[in-house]
Amino acid sequence: MNIALIIAGGSGNRMGQDIPKQFIHVEGCPIIIHTMQAFQKHPDIQAIAVVCLKGWETVLQSYANQFLIDKLKWIFPGGGTGQESIHNGIYGLREAGCQDSDLVLIHDAVRPLLSQEIISSNIATCQAYGYAITGIQCREAILESEDGFSSNTSIPRDKLVRTQTPQTFRLGNIIAAHEEAKTKGINNSVASCTLIAELGGRDMHIVPGSEKNIKVTTVEDLEILKALMNIKAESWLK
């Protein structure tokens, strides 16, 4: 079984709004519903689980019912950190009877423009190699700064990859990684890929991402999202 595990446990403080960013309405429905719709319509996704911010579970289920997200099978409680929320989700899936061989596509609730192609590539790559990390080759010049105001060091961009989600694993593998992280005191890794990297000894295969697969974190991101949703491709472009 291929399961989308959508992480919506954050409160969205950086957005500075009165409701969590994943529940802000864009083009007629909440951002999280746009995200869920990407998995709902993909033929190779059999189930959706959401790690939800405490107190918003009923709202989430109501929206899922309204927008006909019938692949939503489970809602798990969010954690204090992203790592803890993912932990709650993967262990919740195991407790719900999912198998260690099932594929879990871990995805940010606030990346609503996820393409069907990226989902398909994640599934195929994970089936072939055991891990799949969505990413984009870095195009910008990168400086390293200790204080955010000054720098005297550049980092070569040729080997740098900006990661996105989904990040896809077999359920048994990602649970084993979290178990190992506990023994090594790793408790606040910012993403599944960084947790795997901190543990070491595992190759993560990269799936090409997209600049459109934007993560909505700030009001500026929200404006970009709205623009992307309304843009029409030029007919003359190849």
Side-chain angles (χ1 to χ4, degrees), residues 110-113 211-216 221 224-225 228:
V110 288
R111 288 189 189 270
L113 297 184
E211 295 290 355
K212 292 181 179 179
N213 188 22
I214 183 175
K215 183 177 182 181
V216 180
D221 295 331
I224 295 170
L225 172 63
L228 288 171

Side-chain angles (χ1 to χ4, degrees), residues 19-101:
I19 64 172
K21 59 189 176 183
Q22 57 268 39
F23 291 101
I24 292 175
H25 279 61
V26 179
E27 297 295 315
C29 71
I31 290 174
I32 191 171
I33 293 297
H34 288 293
T35 302
M36 294 170 74
Q37 285 172 336
F39 293 105
Q40 173 71 27
K41 68 182 181 181
H42 196 286
D44 294 330
I45 296 294
Q46 285 78 45
I48 297 171
V50 177
V51 178
C52 187
L53 182 65
K54 184 178 180 181
W56 287 83
E57 299 90 346
T58 301
V59 175
L60 174 64
Q61 186 64 66
S62 297
Y63 279 134
N65 295 342
Q66 178 184 352
F67 290 96
L68 306 179
I69 309 294
D70 59 15
K71 288 185 182 178
L72 177 61
K73 305 300 182 186
W74 307 285
I75 299 175
F76 304 121
T81 65
Q83 182 176 330
E84 187 177 341
S85 287
I86 294 171
H87 175 280
N88 291 352
I90 58 179
Y91 280 83
L93 290 174
R94 173 173 277 181
E95 292 173 6
C98 297
Q99 303 300 306
D100 282 354
S101 58

Side-chain angles (χ1 to χ4, degrees), residues 58-162:
T58 301
V59 175
L60 174 64
Q61 186 64 66
S62 297
Y63 279 134
N65 295 342
Q66 178 184 352
F67 290 96
L68 306 179
I69 309 294
D70 59 15
K71 288 185 182 178
L72 177 61
K73 305 300 182 186
W74 307 285
I75 299 175
F76 304 121
T81 65
Q83 182 176 330
E84 187 177 341
S85 287
I86 294 171
H87 175 280
N88 291 352
I90 58 179
Y91 280 83
L93 290 174
R94 173 173 277 181
E95 292 173 6
C98 297
Q99 303 300 306
D100 282 354
S101 58
D102 290 338
L103 267 60
V104 182
L105 290 82
I106 302 172
H107 187 66
D108 299 319
V110 288
R111 288 189 189 270
L113 297 184
L114 174 64
S115 72
Q116 300 294 281
E117 292 75 17
I118 291 176
I119 295 174
S120 295
S121 295
N122 265 264
I123 292 171
T125 300
C126 189
Q127 287 174 334
Y129 302 105
Y131 299 85
I133 305 298
T134 307
I136 297 179
Q137 193 74 32
C138 186
R139 298 169 183 162
E140 296 87 354
I142 302 295
L143 298 179
E144 182 178 9
S145 175
E146 296 291 339
D147 58 10
F149 296 101
S150 62
S151 174
N152 58 16
T153 305
S154 66
I155 301 174
R157 65 186 179 184
D158 297 346
K159 296 181 180 180
L160 297 181
V161 173
R162 294 188 288 119

